Amino acid sequence: MHPHSKTFFRGTTLRHWGGTRPGRFANPRAGQVQCLKIDRGKHLENAWRRQQDEEARLCREMKGLSGKSVVEVKSLNQHDTVLDKAGNSLVVVFFYSRACGSCKEVLKSYEALSQEYRRQNASVIFTKHDVLDEFDHRSDITRMYQVRAVPSFGFFAGGALVTRLVMRDTRGIRGKMIRTELLRDRKKLADTLRQLLFRFAPSAMK
């Protein structure tokens, strides 16, 4: 390289224009960097609007909690909002996967249990979360709470995870034993929920 040459970047291509050889390029400015001007004020305004839209959407979803037995939680922001709005209520999260056959059976028991507690006006919010996102990657919630098995449950009180419950995978079970295991898992879930309600929300138990 000539000692007085200058290096310009255009895209990912390097070009050298020698200051002592002015005739090398017909248009020396062709190799200069083109800067993109960013309107910082407009960028911040758009970010603020997106945040407001997200908060409004989460508020609408929270208003519909009372009308649903089990709420589908799709994002970490939504999960945090549920925990913030729960107050003294216990929050249960059912971790499942669309490809998990055992999860479908456990979900039926979970929904039945949620309806039972709803009739009792118990201070429990029942939610569910798919551990894989739309790209089949582990979701933010899954990574945050290090969920390694499905079907499983997370129990939250005061915004914190207080205990977990991993259900048995019934894929290797045949015949009548499947129903026996499902009934045993449902009892385990109901007992855990009852114990946590006595511990964290005793006034909810009648």
Side-chain angles (χ1 to χ4, degrees), residues 6-60:
K6 300 179 181 178
T7 302
F8 296 91
F9 295 81
R10 189 180 184 184
T12 56
T13 305
L14 293 178
R15 293 188 179 182
H16 303 286
W17 172 47
T20 57
R21 300 170 61 187
R24 187 168 181 179
F25 287 116
N27 182 11
R29 296 177 121 191
Q32 294 181 0
V33 176
Q34 296 181 356
C35 298
L36 177 64
K37 184 178 180 180
I38 299 177
D39 188 336
R40 183 173 177 81
K42 191 170 185 60
H43 174 73
L44 293 175
E45 180 182 354
N46 290 336
W48 179 80
R49 286 180 177 176
R50 286 193 298 268
Q51 182 179 355
Q52 293 295 309
D53 291 342
E54 177 69 9
E55 290 179 355
R57 182 184 66 82
L58 293 176
C59 286
R60 289 194 300 270

Side-chain angles (χ1 to χ4, degrees), residues 111-196:
E111 290 177 337
L113 188 65
S114 70
Q115 292 171 3
E116 177 183 337
Y117 274 87
R118 184 181 175 189
R119 287 192 294 269
Q120 298 175 9
N121 293 321
S123 298
V124 189
I125 297 176
F126 294 88
T127 69
K128 60 182 179 179
H129 175 69
D130 191 340
V131 296
L132 300 179
D133 61 19
E134 62 271 27
F135 304 106
D136 285 337
H137 298 152
R138 295 181 67 206
S139 69
D140 292 342
I141 299 177
T142 304
R143 293 196 302 270
M144 181 174 181
Y145 295 108
Q146 300 180 359
V147 178
R148 295 187 173 87
V150 293
S152 63
F153 292 88
F155 299 85
F156 296 80
L161 177 65
V162 293
T163 191
R164 304 174 189 263
L165 180 62
V166 179
M167 313 305 278
R168 183 169 178 177
D169 188 348
T170 59
R171 287 179 298 179
I173 304 175
R174 296 291 182 269
K176 296 181 179 179
M177 288 299 296
I178 294 180
R179 179 171 176 78
T180 302
E181 289 299 327
L182 289 174
L183 290 174
R184 185 178 300 172
D185 281 348
R186 179 174 180 175
K187 184 178 184 304
K188 186 193 303 184
L189 174 60
D191 290 345
T192 302
L193 184 56
R194 190 176 299 108
Q195 291 170 8
L196 291 174

Side-chain angles (χ1 to χ4, degrees), residues 34-103:
Q34 296 181 356
C35 298
L36 177 64
K37 184 178 180 180
I38 299 177
D39 188 336
R40 183 173 177 81
K42 191 170 185 60
H43 174 73
L44 293 175
E45 180 182 354
N46 290 336
W48 179 80
R49 286 180 177 176
R50 286 193 298 268
Q51 182 179 355
Q52 293 295 309
D53 291 342
E54 177 69 9
E55 290 179 355
R57 182 184 66 82
L58 293 176
C59 286
R60 289 194 300 270
E61 292 176 352
M62 286 302 300
K63 289 180 180 179
L65 282 180
S66 58
K68 298 180 180 179
S69 56
V70 178
V71 180
E72 178 76 39
V73 173
K74 297 182 179 180
S75 68
L76 186 57
N77 283 340
Q78 185 182 2
H79 173 70
D80 290 340
T81 300
V82 171
L83 295 182
D84 289 341
K85 301 294 184 180
N88 295 326
S89 298
L90 188 69
V91 177
V92 187
V93 182
F94 173 51
F95 295 103
Y96 73 96
S97 170
R98 296 183 299 274
C100 171
S102 301
C103 296

